Amino acid sequence: MRVDQNNVHEDAAATGGIAADRLRSIIERVERLEEERKALAGDIKDIFSEAKSAGFDVKVIKQIIKLRKQEPAEVEEQETLLDIYRRALGM
C-alpha cells in the first residue's frame, strides 16, 4: 500500500489544528451541558422533596407532568383503554 505524503501531512495538520480545536469545542460544550443537566436534576429533586414535605404524592405529580407532555387525544385514548382493561379485570 502506497502512502501519499501530502495526505499524511494534511491529516497531521488537521489533527493538530482546526479539527482538534473543533473537537475540543464540541467536547467542552457537551461537558458544560452535562453539568447544567446535573444541576437541574438536583433542582428538580429539591422541588419534589418540597412537594413531599407539603403532603403531596410525588408519584402522582410525576404522572401529571407526564400527562401534560402528551397530546389531549393521546391522554384520552390511554384513559379509555385503562378503563376498558379495568372493566375486563372486574376492577
Side-chain angles (χ1 to χ4, degrees):
M1 180 173 150
R2 184 172 175 257
V3 176
D4 183 356
Q5 291 301 320
N6 289 334
N7 285 342
V8 170
H9 181 67
E10 289 172 11
D11 290 343
T15 300
I18 296 170
D21 290 343
R22 176 81 173 154
L23 177 60
R24 184 176 298 105
S25 171
I26 290 169
I27 291 170
E28 288 172 353
R29 287 171 35 212
V30 170
E31 289 172 340
R32 278 193 301 275
L33 289 173
E34 286 176 345
E35 285 298 316
E36 288 177 29
R37 179 170 47 188
K38 184 177 176 183
L40 289 172
D43 292 345
I44 291 169
K45 182 179 177 183
D46 291 345
I47 293 169
F48 283 131
S49 293
E50 177 185 335
K52 186 175 182 178
S53 296
F56 294 106
D57 187 320
V58 173
K59 288 170 88 175
V60 174
I61 291 173
K62 288 180 179 184
Q63 288 176 338
I64 291 172
I65 291 169
K66 182 180 174 183
L67 288 172
R68 288 170 52 111
K69 291 178 184 178
Q70 297 175 346
E71 293 294 324
E74 186 179 349
V75 173
E76 185 177 342
E77 179 183 345
Q78 287 179 359
E79 288 175 352
T80 300
L81 284 172
L82 182 59
D83 187 47
I84 291 169
Y85 291 0
R86 283 182 177 158
R87 287 182 188 178
L89 296 172
M91 297 176 69

